Amino acid sequence: MSIATSKPPKIKFGTDGWRGIIADDFTFANVRKVTRAIASYLETAYSQDKPVLISYDPRFLADEFAQTAAQVLAEQGWSVKMVQRDCPTPVIAYNVQQMDTAGALMFTASHNPATYCGIKYIPDYAGPATTEITDTIVANIDTASDAPVGRDYADRISRFDPKNSYLQFLYTRLDVAKIRSAKLKVKYDALYSTTRGYLDEALAHCGCQVESFHTHRDVLFGGGMPEPKAEQLQELVAAVKQDRADLGLATDGDGDRFGVVDEQGNVLTPNTILLLLARHLVKNKGLTGAIVRTVATTHLLDSWAAKYGLPTYETAVGFKYVGAKMRETDVLIGGEESGGLSVLGHIPEKDGILADLLIAEAMAYEGKPLSQLVEEAIAEANGPVYNQRLDLHLEEERKQAILEQFGNHPPQEIAGIGVKEVGRKDGTKLYLEDGGWILLRPSGTEPLMRVYLETTSEEKQRQLSAYMQEALQKQ
């Protein structure tokens, strides 16, 4: 009797590294293979007198995967510095730059479910690896060995604590005295993430009265998702409302995305936070620079920036594109609708810890409830607008047919609103005559077509949503 075997899935890097299901494709053998592919790239870019850092988030086996990678790199002749405990992505990214390294390997699947793990390479500029770098690494994978390491290379591996240098730098980006004067009451839900011991410590340092939840390592993330979205933050919302706190804060699993709850218990969208913080940086801190956003992020940023004469840049989806722009020019704030941002003077990597602390700083400067600051920021940008994302299940052939149809033969109008322009920076984006837009972007890993839309009224939102659902089902 023959046993049919399926071909293992091909290892490929997405917008932020390689992710897979633990014990399915994310195995110790594949970690060795990918680490050797990364080492082959390192040999072409750095001298071996620079160390390689290794970090990991709280996931199941992430620390063991990290140790395996450390042994592989040491076998290849690199000196390795590993974190003492799980560590946020922005923290290791900052240390990559500050310590003059050959970059870092970060074991994380960010906000993905507990069954996933991942690995990303962070170059010495402290931001996400560019497509050119990840393409080189992926090309090296086919010839890389997955064999076990021959002996223990403990003599080339040391441990270090990245926390203090990061927090001290963060305090130079903030007006700590101003935040202390506000005496804010803050609820913090760590969501079992790696920001425990970072964000809560920073809030306390800034004089906030902090109550924290879920601040221990749980590899199952309490049975939920390590993603700071409304459905995961109901305990935080209840705590804010019950104790009449000024603010509720959270991050995702590896600390590069933020979650914010106002004093009324509203979970604020990343689009709203980007706008509010851009306004804060200009109005209260006197800073200036470009606004950088992805194609799926609100155009309210453009409307607001125009009032201050600030340039706006639109990038493809993925913070590596935002980070690349941050390395080219002075960027006041760069971000994406999925919950990542960075600001002028910081590393070109998204940082949920800094984002959360900047919200506290904005409230301290203004002396107003967060809900009021949101209203003022939206009004200043000629809002409000209404956003929605649809995840429509479509097979690969149909996804491509739809993109071709809407890209090459777009409708003249959608729900009675004229289409004035078609963009192809990432997916297909229809710019509408009333200032709204619709973006069709296929998932690279799932049979999904993601449809993002932004418009000026709830009624238009309903109409555009209904139109797109019907149109895509007809294709």
Side-chain angles (χ1 to χ4, degrees):
M1 182 179 72
S2 63
I3 300 175
T5 58
S6 60
K7 192 174 182 180
K10 189 173 179 64
I11 297 171
K12 62 179 183 178
F13 278 54
T15 57
D16 205 15
W18 167 54
R19 294 176 189 171
I21 296 175
I22 299 168
D24 181 2
D25 56 338
F26 205 94
T27 62
F28 285 99
N30 276 344
V31 165
R32 292 191 292 267
K33 192 177 187 69
V34 171
T35 303
R36 288 190 174 104
I38 293 172
S40 295
Y41 164 75
L42 294 178
E43 290 172 6
T44 68
Y46 302 97
S47 65
Q48 287 196 329
D49 60 352
K50 292 176 181 284
V52 180
L53 308 186
I54 296 186
S55 180
Y56 52 91
D57 74 8
R59 290 168 184 277
F60 178 62
L61 290 179
D63 50 348
E64 297 295 329
F65 289 132
Q67 181 64 38
T68 296
Q71 289 287 337
V72 170
L73 288 172
E75 180 189 50
Q76 301 294 315
W78 295 92
S79 63
V80 177
K81 293 183 182 294
M82 281 190 64
V83 293
Q84 291 180 341
R85 53 146 278 197
D86 56 275
C87 166
T89 291
V91 175
I92 198 65
Y94 169 74
N95 277 268
V96 158
Q97 191 177 66
Q98 189 256 343
M99 295 174 64
D100 188 24
T101 70
L105 277 63
M106 176 69 191
F107 283 83
T108 179
S110 191
H111 59 288
N112 285 97
T115 50
Y116 283 79
C117 196
I119 180 173
K120 58 186 287 184
Y121 170 66
I122 304 171
D124 61 346
Y125 54 73
T130 62
T131 302
E132 291 76 18
I133 293 174
T134 55
D135 283 352
T136 300
I137 292 170
V138 170
N140 293 338
I141 290 174
D142 287 341
T143 56
S145 168
D146 65 1
V149 176
R151 69 171 179 85
D152 188 352
Y153 288 89
D155 56 318
R156 294 181 184 171
I157 302 170
S158 60
R159 295 273 181 171
F160 79 108
D161 185 353
K163 183 165 79 168
N164 187 61
S165 63
Y166 168 81
L167 289 181
Q168 292 306 314
F169 172 73
L170 216 59
Y171 300 148
T172 70
R173 303 290 91 198
L174 298 164
D175 190 333
V176 173
K178 178 68 76 172
I179 303 174
R180 285 174 176 167
S181 69
K183 295 181 171 57
L184 297 172
K185 183 187 289 188
V186 181
K187 305 296 181 182
Y188 160 58
D189 190 344
L191 291 177
Y192 310 100
S193 76
T194 192
T195 60
R196 67 196 194 287
Y198 283 87
L199 182 53
D200 45 355
E201 181 174 318
L203 287 165
H205 176 81
C206 291
C208 299
Q209 178 186 331
V210 188
E211 182 185 8
S212 303
F213 308 93
H214 308 135
T215 54
H216 62 277
R217 184 186 182 194
D218 179 350
V219 298
L220 298 178
F221 301 107
M225 293 266 287
E227 185 171 20
K229 288 191 171 182
E231 53 267 34
Q232 306 296 333
L233 296 178
Q234 291 311 300
E235 191 172 341
L236 180 61
V237 167
V240 168
K241 293 167 72 172
Q242 180 177 344
D243 205 21
R244 297 185 179 180
D246 299 300
L247 178 64
L249 297 172
T251 68
D252 71 340
D254 70 323
D256 63 357
R257 300 186 186 203
F258 55 85
V260 181
V261 177
D262 72 13
E263 82 286 353
Q264 297 177 357
N266 300 306
V267 179
L268 304 182
T269 69
N271 281 329
T272 298
I273 296 302
L274 282 167
L275 179 63
L276 189 153
L277 289 184
R279 180 175 183 258
H280 163 60
L281 294 173
V282 170
K283 179 185 177 185
N284 298 319
K285 304 195 77 171
L287 300 176
T288 189
I291 304 295
V292 182
R293 59 160 181 79
T294 65
V295 290
T297 303
T298 182
H299 286 203
L300 276 185
L301 286 164
D302 306 50
S303 175
W304 175 85
K307 291 190 173 184
Y308 289 88
L310 303 179
T312 304
Y313 298 98
E314 182 178 78
T315 74
V317 171
F319 203 84
K320 63 182 177 181
Y321 301 108
V322 177
K325 200 67 186 176
M326 292 185 73
R327 301 197 308 275
E328 293 174 7
T329 190
D330 289 337
V331 172
L332 178 72
I333 192 167
E336 51 190 358
E337 57 77 38
S338 57
L341 67 79
S342 188
V343 300
L344 188 69
H346 196 40
I347 55 174
E349 174 64 276
K350 52 187 183 284
D351 189 340
I353 301 170
L354 176 63
D356 282 348
L357 290 168
L358 283 171
I359 291 295
E361 183 186 65
M363 295 175 65
Y365 266 93
E366 298 277 357
K368 299 173 182 176
L370 184 53
S371 61
Q372 185 177 340
L373 295 185
V374 168
E375 288 178 7
E376 292 176 0
I378 290 173
E380 191 171 299
N382 300 323
V385 294
Y386 298 84
N387 298 85
Q388 187 175 356
R389 188 180 102 175
L390 307 169
D391 287 345
L392 304 179
H393 288 263
L394 298 170
E395 295 305 319
E396 190 63 35
E397 301 77 19
R398 296 197 55 215
K399 287 196 293 187
Q400 294 306 315
I402 287 166
L403 286 175
E404 289 178 16
Q405 176 65 28
F406 276 86
N408 299 328
H409 307 285
Q412 292 187 337
E413 62 176 41
I414 295 178
I417 306 168
V419 177
K420 67 175 182 180
E421 186 182 348
V422 179
R424 298 178 180 84
K425 189 165 292 173
D426 190 349
T428 298
K429 189 168 183 177
L430 308 176
Y431 297 83
L432 307 180
E433 289 181 347
D434 67 347
W437 52 269
I438 297 171
L439 172 67
L440 293 88
R441 186 172 180 271
S443 168
T445 57
E446 300 173 90
L448 291 176
M449 177 70 76
R450 293 195 168 93
V451 180
Y452 303 80
L453 60 90
E454 179 169 273
T455 187
T456 55
S457 73
E458 292 186 50
E459 180 58 29
K460 286 182 181 179
Q461 177 186 328
R462 284 191 291 269
Q463 292 172 349
L464 292 174
S465 176
Y467 178 98
M468 293 306 298
Q469 291 185 67
E470 182 179 357
L472 267 60
Q473 287 165 359
K474 280 182 178 178
Q475 293 292 325

